[in-house]
Amino acid sequence: MSGTDSAESATRLSAHFDATIAHDQRIEPRDWMPDGYRATLVRQIAQHAHSEIIGMQPEGEWITKAPSLRRKAILFAKVQDEAGHGLYLYSAAETLGIDRDELTERLLQGRQKYSSIFNYPTLSFADVGVIGWFVDGAAICNQVPLCRSSYGPYARAMVRVCKEESFHQRQGFELLLTMMRGTEAQRAQVQDAVDRWWWPSLMMFGPPDDDSPNSAQSMAWKIKRHSNDELRRRFVDMTVPQAEFLGVTLPDPELRWNEERGTHDFGTPDYAELMRVIKGDGPCNAQRMERRTKAHEDGAWVREAAAAHAAKQQALRETTKEGTAA
Amino acid sequence: MSSSWPLYEVFVRGKRGLNHVHVGSLHAADERMALTNARDLYTRRNEGVSIWVVRSDAITASTPDEKDPFFSPSGDKVYRHPTFYAIPDDVPHI
């Protein structure tokens, strides 16, 4: 193929890709796509997958400490779901030609990130409820539009995740309702958890739009459907009436309904804190990574043993087959 | 640290009477583990009554942009569709 031919072919492929996006059709794994699109997806999906896996830790700590068998079973199911979500997402990432092990390695080496929210500690059982309500609520705001993301496998994984996420949010809210009907001390615990998780939850939506370098391109490619600030605003609008119902106060003196704009005005999260936590300097970063690394290393013998067993069985089958053939 | 566990594609039959549908992939040491992992990963809420797993490298697929030559044989055969045939309106049950 001459240089001109290949240039022409690249233009044609690129035009076809653009047209597919413009017509709101999905890009599928074996389609041609720009390198930047592929790299952005790998980064975003991997980061999302890592978040689900690391996200098992803050709540996992409470499985043995949950106050009843019912709460233990619920929490166990929820943490198992987070593992499942991570695996759906790693599966989607692999369709882009990257190996799951490579992604794990990048996480363990700190070359890929996970959501800042999981670097905060879970100090009381009320935190489990608030995580379900805020963190999973914020995740739903983020993820529902991603069900229409332009990359097919990612969008399909998000459909599965979203179906399950609603259980997560509702169990959290129900937990908090139960505690709010309890003693004064329990209500104080809930308010304390709300005070600690509110701002970090708002930070989950990422930096403000004017400081989010990748956003515009991601939206043009329809990987993302709404800006960080738009999603943050939706989350606030969704959560305020729920807080009123629950009887807790959201810790933002600037929070009020804006009749004219038909939405809430609210304060600005401490984005310097967000940057610090993302860069590794949050309250639990070291602990989370340490535990993830240990789990990976502790599991090494299981992976090796299973592979050895599979190889042995395979060899046995082949011997038997040869025996039969002879 | 390259993976010694191969990749499997997973297909789930949602209920009796439906086809198996591709739902995703997973890594497993062998077929049996792939099947049990698929159950735990893709059918935690009764999403299936039957699961197939198949090694990803055993699948042969058509090339990407499925718009093109590979499917063109069916593109110009309008006579394969019922609407190709003009039948008077007053012929019953056709």
Side-chain angles (χ1 to χ4, degrees):
Chain A
M1 195 186 273
S2 78
T4 331
D5 277 354
S6 74
E8 239 169 60
S9 143
T11 316
R12 212 183 56 237
L13 287 168
S14 170
H16 181 60
F17 173 86
D18 292 342
T20 308
I21 298 276
H23 289 110
D24 251 338
Q25 290 194 316
R26 299 288 180 267
I27 303 297
E28 294 295 343
R30 285 153 55 89
D31 287 339
W32 182 90
M33 58 187 88
D35 292 343
Y37 180 83
R38 189 183 297 273
T40 300
L41 276 168
V42 168
R43 183 174 49 81
Q44 181 171 333
I45 300 174
Q47 184 170 323
H48 196 159
H50 299 328
S51 302
E52 300 282 357
I53 300 296
I54 297 287
M56 295 166 74
Q57 292 186 34
E59 290 176 288
E61 284 174 26
W62 282 91
I63 294 176
T64 53
K65 295 186 277 183
S68 66
L69 184 58
R70 179 174 179 268
R71 292 292 172 194
K72 283 182 171 70
I74 292 170
L75 202 49
F76 202 10
K78 181 173 188 261
V79 172
Q80 198 184 8
D81 274 353
E82 310 295 1
H85 296 178
L87 294 178
Y88 301 154
L89 287 156
Y90 284 130
S91 164
E94 274 196 300
T95 63
L96 292 157
I98 182 137
D99 190 76
R100 219 166 294 205
D101 283 350
E102 167 69 19
L103 297 175
T104 305
E105 200 166 358
R106 286 188 195 176
L107 170 69
L108 297 182
Q109 291 172 349
R111 285 153 61 208
Q112 277 177 343
K113 307 287 182 199
Y114 57 89
S115 175
S116 56
I117 194 75
F118 300 116
N119 291 313
Y120 292 86
T122 36
L123 302 180
S124 81
F125 190 60
D127 288 33
V128 170
V130 171
I131 288 178
W133 177 30
F134 283 172
V135 176
D136 294 300
I140 290 172
C141 278
N142 255 329
Q143 292 170 353
V144 167
L146 290 176
C147 296
R148 295 185 297 118
S149 179
S150 62
Y151 187 58
Y154 188 33
R156 293 191 287 272
M158 292 322 302
V159 170
R160 283 181 168 279
V161 169
C162 285
K163 273 188 195 161
E164 298 177 352
E165 209 72 65
S166 156
F167 142 61
H168 297 179
Q169 195 193 19
R170 290 173 66 113
Q171 66 82 33
F173 198 75
E174 188 233 36
L175 191 163
L176 297 175
L177 276 174
T178 311
M179 285 188 79
M180 291 302 281
R181 284 192 220 106
T183 64
E184 199 50 53
Q186 284 176 309
R187 279 190 286 279
Q189 247 182 16
V190 173
Q191 183 61 55
D192 173 61
V194 165
D195 291 345
R196 282 181 290 109
W197 287 93
W198 175 248
W199 291 109
S201 299
L202 290 190
M203 292 174 202
M204 280 177 72
F205 295 94
D209 292 350
D210 50 23
D211 189 26
S212 180
N214 301 323
S215 275
Q217 180 61 74
S218 278
M219 284 175 69
W221 276 331
K222 296 184 184 172
I223 294 174
K224 266 177 84 158
R225 293 289 185 157
H226 306 283
S227 78
N228 295 352
D229 287 334
E230 161 67 12
L231 291 166
R232 195 170 0 249
R233 190 189 58 72
R234 282 190 192 187
F235 173 71
V236 172
D237 285 342
M238 184 178 93
T239 309
V240 168
Q242 295 169 348
E244 277 165 21
F245 187 93
L246 205 55
V248 295
T249 310
L250 299 174
D252 179 359
E254 293 175 53
L255 181 65
R256 61 180 57 81
W257 177 251
N258 184 325
E259 188 66 53
E260 206 176 301
R261 291 169 57 227
T263 180
H264 288 87
D265 292 334
F266 54 97
T268 308
D270 181 356
Y271 290 117
E273 175 181 325
L274 173 65
M275 287 307 138
R276 277 200 307 278
V277 177
I278 288 178
K279 291 213 168 85
D281 203 14
C284 299
N285 294 58
Q287 182 193 330
R288 301 290 186 239
M289 286 308 293
E290 204 178 284
R291 192 166 298 175
R292 180 69 192 88
T293 306
K294 185 171 176 347
H296 188 69
E297 286 168 359
D298 287 352
W301 73 270
V302 180
R303 294 191 293 275
E304 283 161 23
H309 176 74
K312 205 164 133 189
Q313 293 298 314
Q314 178 70 25
L316 258 172
R317 270 200 301 272
E318 270 157 28
T319 323
T320 324
K321 230 185 268 168
E322 277 166 26
T324 322
Chain B
M1 195 177 71
S2 132
S3 171
S4 44
W5 288 12
L7 189 64
Y8 289 84
E9 300 298 326
V10 181
F11 301 80
V12 171
R13 185 199 292 287
K15 56 181 183 185
R16 289 177 177 280
L18 298 181
N19 289 319
H20 284 77
V21 173
H22 182 246
V23 291
S25 68
L26 50 77
H27 284 278
D30 58 24
E31 284 82 0
R32 218 172 56 178
M33 188 196 276
L35 212 48
T36 49
N37 284 0
R39 177 201 58 197
D40 293 346
L41 183 55
Y42 290 106
T43 62
R44 284 196 302 283
R45 290 178 176 78
N46 302 319
E47 291 95 335
V49 295
S50 163
I51 300 176
W52 289 347
V53 291
V54 58
R55 284 218 13 187
S56 308
D57 59 16
I59 291 179
T60 308
S62 61
T63 43
D65 274 326
E66 282 141 14
K67 55 181 178 109
D68 273 8
F70 186 73
F71 292 100
S72 64
S74 73
D76 58 354
K77 295 178 181 60
V78 282
Y79 48 86
R80 284 179 175 171
H81 296 276
T83 45
F84 179 72
Y85 303 94
I87 308 275
D89 285 345
D90 45 2
V91 180
H93 306 306
I94 189 161

